[in-house]
Amino acid sequence: MAVAWTAALAFIARSYGLHSSPGIWAGVFGLPGVVIANWTQANILHEFNSALGYSIMFLVNWIFYCSVIQGFVSVKRSLWN
């Protein structure tokens, strides 16, 4: 899911642009990776690199999505037992 979303956002950024409606919605649904990637590049690295930004976004979203899915599995198991 994180790979698909990162690829979709990269495609939208190159075709429509990030300030278009599809770009804004892709950024909103790409949370928290979009925010953390931009914050990291601006405040820690002090430079912007698209490949690095997409890599950070992928890693953050992958960790986030895995945590959310694990939470759903835990809640399901507790409700079924």
Side-chain angles (χ1 to χ4, degrees), residues 5-64:
W5 202 257
T6 303
L9 186 63
F11 173 76
I12 291 170
R14 293 196 185 271
S15 59
Y16 298 106
L18 291 176
H19 293 285
S20 66
S21 290
I24 291 171
W25 282 109
V28 167
F29 289 117
L31 294 174
V34 172
V35 173
I36 293 175
N38 286 330
W39 181 86
T40 302
Q41 290 189 65
N43 294 321
I44 295 175
L45 303 175
H46 303 292
E47 65 181 52
F48 286 94
N49 182 342
S50 294
L52 180 62
Y54 289 129
S55 300
I56 295 170
M57 185 179 82
F58 164 73
L59 289 173
V60 169
N61 282 341
W62 182 69
I63 292 167
F64 177 73

Side-chain angles (χ1 to χ4, degrees), residues 63-79:
I63 292 167
F64 177 73
Y65 294 149
C66 287
S67 300
V68 168
I69 290 169
Q70 185 63 36
F72 284 142
V73 169
S74 297
V75 168
K76 181 185 153 209
R77 285 183 183 163
S78 68
L79 292 175

